[in-house]
Amino acid sequence: MWYSKYLQVFNRPVTEFPHTVKQDIANKINKANKRLETEKPLCSVVAIAHNEETHILGCLWSLTDNICDFPIEIIVVNNNSTDSTEQLLKDVGVTYYNESRQSPGFARQCGLDAAQGKYHICIDSDTLYPPHYIATHVKHLSNGAICTYGLWSFIPDDRHSKLGLFFYELFRDIYLSLQNFNRPELVVRGMVLAFDTEAARKVGYRTHIKRGEDGMMALGLKKYGKLKMLKSRKARAVTCNSTLDSKGGLMANAWLRIKKATNLKLLFTSQAEYKDQDYNIIKPKPDDEHKNKQ
């Protein structure tokens, strides 16, 4: 698999990281930054991270290995990490910001505010990205899409078999493909999302909700252009299994998918607006300072 080499530092203790890997990432980031001294980035690749010390290097390694013939900037937003995430960011020399207000919405808005590229690719630090991932999104954005989003796979392990994941992802992908006709905003996930930067700034992220900021961004972008789902393997990321485990594992997630599939309203109707639910609202902390570039 294309991601095999990144497993040296992905989902592993920091003490087991080979020093040569960290140096390789630092060298590639430095090279990309040198190019930005004379060229403006066409694309901003913006990762958010909260306590991702076991994942962040693998994610950055996969991003620095991406093949593209245009300048990019890589930015990380450190969202209140209490582990060694920030130290690892310093070690490899990547540009990063500290966002003290806790939530994916605040972290993604911080990255959006800082981005300089015409196009913006959202990244989750617990995810790995294939070699042509950036170029594939930029290709479709430059051909007229205002927003692009892909599918994702999980990494097999002792608790999640390769065969079990294959059938789960097959069923999920069919369902998401059908849902995409009328409610693409429910298909979008922030770890596989890209868009036109200026249009996204007009929309802005919903920062007061715990989850769903990605889909609401896509919903807001509808009035500015076409939303395009990318099914190519070149745009298919792989991620850790934390989201599966948080909902009871593979079988429990499969059952949740089956129950959703029986709600035909989510497949055959569209919706222009979604009301925020009380359980999903974050209480604001007005005294928070939100951004500090490092």
Side-chain angles (χ1 to χ4, degrees):
M1 298 298 294
W2 62 264
Y3 59 82
S4 296
K5 76 172 187 176
Y6 306 122
L7 299 182
Q8 296 178 63
V9 293
F10 191 78
N11 208 26
R12 300 181 70 87
V14 177
T15 53
E16 296 181 10
F17 291 175
H19 175 73
T20 53
V21 169
K22 193 183 296 185
Q23 189 58 53
D24 181 46
I25 297 169
N27 290 341
K28 290 175 180 176
I29 287 174
N30 182 60
K31 183 178 180 180
N33 289 342
K34 285 286 186 183
R35 186 175 183 181
L36 296 178
E37 293 177 3
T38 57
E39 297 180 74
K40 184 178 179 180
L42 178 64
C43 180
S44 298
V45 182
V46 184
I48 61 172
H50 170 68
N51 290 343
E52 295 289 0
E53 65 177 12
T54 61
H55 299 127
I56 188 66
L57 283 192
C59 176
L60 288 174
W61 194 5
S62 71
L63 294 175
T64 57
D65 274 354
N66 255 246
I67 301 165
C68 47
D69 58 3
F70 48 83
I72 66 168
E73 65 172 349
I74 297 177
I75 296 172
V76 180
V77 178
N78 178 37
N79 196 196
N80 280 333
S81 295
T82 56
D83 62 2
S84 62
T85 294
E86 186 172 6
Q87 184 57 54
L88 291 171
L89 299 177
K90 291 178 180 179
D91 290 346
V92 299
V94 68
T95 297
Y96 73 95
Y97 295 85
N98 285 320
E99 171 57 74
S100 63
R101 296 170 296 180
Q102 191 70 52
S103 84
F106 280 126
R108 295 203 192 280
Q109 185 62 48
C110 174
L112 180 57
D113 291 340
Q116 300 182 62
K118 176 179 174 63
Y119 306 118
H120 186 112
I121 294 182
C122 298
I123 299 293
D124 277 5
S125 296
D126 62 355
T127 304
L128 301 172
Y129 296 87
H132 297 279
Y133 184 82
I134 297 171
T136 301
H137 277 279
V138 169
K139 174 185 175 182
H140 289 279
L141 290 169
S142 62
N143 284 337
I146 202 73
C147 172
T148 54
Y149 46 99
L151 295 166
W152 65 98
S153 292
F154 295 98
I155 299 174
D157 57 25
D158 292 340
R159 301 185 312 278
H160 311 87
S161 71
K162 188 174 182 179
L163 183 62
L165 287 172
F166 171 81
F167 283 109
Y168 170 76
E169 291 168 12
L170 177 63
F171 172 77
R172 180 207 62 193
D173 291 355
I174 292 172
Y175 176 79
L176 292 179
S177 295
L178 292 173
Q179 191 175 55
N180 187 62
F181 286 109
N182 292 303
R183 298 204 188 194
E185 64 275 3
L186 298 184
V187 176
V188 169
R189 299 295 183 274
M191 63 184 172
V192 285
L193 171 65
F195 42 69
D196 179 274
T197 303
E198 288 306 312
R201 285 184 175 140
K202 293 176 184 177
V203 177
Y205 276 105
R206 289 193 186 180
T207 58
H208 63 285
I209 54 178
K210 296 177 183 177
R211 57 178 299 177
E213 82 294 337
D214 39 19
M216 293 304 97
M217 170 58 80
L219 182 66
L221 286 169
K222 274 185 175 181
K223 65 181 179 180
Y224 294 104
K226 180 181 179 181
L227 275 58
K228 186 175 181 62
M229 184 181 190
L230 306 182
K231 297 181 181 180
S232 167
R233 284 280 167 180
K234 292 180 179 180
R236 192 180 188 101
V238 295
T239 191
C240 65
N241 298 306
S242 58
T243 53
L244 286 177
D245 293 337
S246 67
K247 296 180 181 178
L250 187 57
M251 293 304 296
N253 273 266
W255 177 240
L256 286 173
R257 290 284 174 186
I258 291 171
K259 288 199 292 184
K260 281 186 177 181
T262 62
N263 186 351
L264 299 183
K265 180 180 178 181
L266 296 179
L267 289 178
F268 299 110
T269 66
S270 59
Q271 191 161 330
E273 186 178 358
Y274 294 81
K275 292 183 178 180
D276 294 329
Q277 302 298 316
D278 289 342
Y279 69 84
N280 199 37
I281 295 176
I282 299 171
K283 294 182 180 179
K285 296 180 180 180
D287 294 332
D288 282 344
E289 295 181 2
H290 70 287
K291 186 168 69 170
N292 180 24
K293 183 179 179 180
Q294 303 294 321

